[in-house]
Amino acid sequence: MRYQWRMNLAGIEREMARLDAVYRPVATAPVDLADPGAPLDLGASIGAQLAALGVGGRSEAVLRAVAEAYTAGDGTVRAAIRGLFERYPSFRWAAHLPPCWDTAAEFRTRLVLLCAHDQAPDTRDEILALRDLCDRARRAGIDVGPVLEEVATMASDADRYGMGSTRAILLAHSRGAAR
């Protein structure tokens, strides 16, 4: 299914806001920690709830539009996109590209989206996600250094949480210092 909404920043924000509202009940639902099986079933349960919403294709289209706009945009556009991910946390939490990929182009797209998240909501989680992306890319035979260095030029230089800027984190990974 193709989505015909405009892929400009205003269109991206409208669609992101709609999807954020759709995802919010799942993203903010309480977890019954008194149930000893809850943590074990949580991933499968959340995955099933998100799939039942039926908006995965729309979310992928928005994420790809975000990656294109972030890549083509200047510093002002990139800051605005980072702001969208701050403003729509349920979308940020729930929307993901399909898990199967093995090309440098898809690695790059995922790094661009990581830049757009700008370490939100937790730098530690983003570093783990970056390590996983790099490991997966290496297993696919992708030379990660040049891609990391290219995408780092688009990343924020703000040290938001005292663990370095997104740019610094990407560059450290490109040098292998943070493996």
Side-chain angles (χ1 to χ4, degrees):
M1 173 180 264
R2 264 182 94 30
Y3 298 97
Q4 298 302 320
W5 46 273
R6 292 187 55 181
M7 296 288 189
N8 62 23
L9 203 51
I12 289 169
E13 180 167 14
R14 278 191 303 276
E15 199 62 15
M16 196 181 281
R18 286 184 194 120
L19 290 164
D20 187 76
V22 171
Y23 285 134
R24 190 172 302 117
V26 177
T28 61
V31 175
D32 182 5
L33 297 177
D35 175 5
L40 300 174
D41 298 332
L42 192 57
S45 173
I46 289 172
Q49 291 174 55
L50 292 175
L53 296 174
V55 295
R58 284 174 56 197
S59 292
E60 181 179 351
V62 171
L63 290 172
R64 293 200 182 279
V66 164
E68 288 176 24
Y70 198 91
T71 300
D74 60 11
T76 302
V77 169
R78 291 177 185 142
I81 290 171
R82 290 189 296 269
L84 293 178
F85 279 102
E86 284 289 323
R87 203 163 23 263
Y88 303 111
S90 296
F91 176 85
R92 181 186 65 226
W93 172 80
H96 297 283
L97 294 177
C100 297
W101 61 273
D102 62 359
T103 67
E106 280 297 309
F107 175 55
R108 182 180 184 276
T109 297
R110 283 158 171 77
L111 289 177
V112 168
L113 292 172
L114 189 131
C115 287
H117 283 196
D118 199 24
Q119 303 179 44
D122 187 317
T123 304
R124 296 164 298 184
D125 290 337
E126 293 297 296
I127 289 171
L128 291 175
L130 176 58
R131 287 179 182 168
D132 183 57
L133 286 172
C134 290
D135 288 346
R136 185 172 186 163
R138 285 183 188 100
R139 285 192 305 273
I142 298 166
D143 184 4
V144 300
V147 183
L148 285 163
E149 290 172 13
E150 176 201 354
V151 174
T153 66
M154 297 179 246
S156 169
D157 238 350
D159 184 354
R160 298 182 65 199
Y161 304 109
M163 296 179 74
S165 68
T166 300
R167 180 174 295 162
I169 292 168
L170 290 173
L171 289 173
H173 273 73
S174 76
R175 292 186 298 271
R179 251 188 79 73

